[in-house]
Amino acid sequence: MDMLELMEWLAERGVTSVFKVDGERALQHRKAWMVIVSGGPLGEDSFFRADLGTADACLDSLLAHLESKGLSPLA
């Protein structure tokens, strides 16, 4: 599953998601990729954010977080 498919899957369940790359951070050789999710079946205290070095790392981190909350698109 790619990030766009995952974002659509999350939206269908009421979860808000943001996936971003920051050009300024990339130029500074910092962790430029970010993913944020919140709401829906994740609950009120559901805010999750990961700032990582690659898009794949963000996807892996998000999938692990969702699984820890009992919500997995791969099931």
Side-chain angles (χ1 to χ4, degrees):
M1 171 172 282
D2 68 24
M3 185 58 79
L4 291 177
E5 290 172 328
L6 178 57
M7 290 176 76
E8 184 174 348
W9 185 87
L10 289 168
E12 290 169 353
R13 286 150 183 82
V15 176
T16 299
S17 62
V18 175
F19 187 63
K20 168 188 161 183
V21 63
D22 186 317
E24 287 184 31
R25 286 188 194 176
L27 288 174
Q28 298 168 357
H29 304 290
R30 296 173 44 213
K31 296 176 181 175
W33 292 90
M34 177 182 67
V35 62
I36 297 173
V37 295
S38 65
L42 296 174
E44 289 185 23
D45 296 324
S46 65
F47 183 84
F48 171 80
R49 174 178 173 162
D51 294 271
L52 299 164
T54 67
D56 286 339
C58 282
L59 179 58
D60 291 344
S61 179
L62 177 54
L63 288 171
H65 173 73
L66 293 173
E67 188 172 319
S68 77
K69 298 292 186 181
L71 187 65
S72 175
L74 306 176

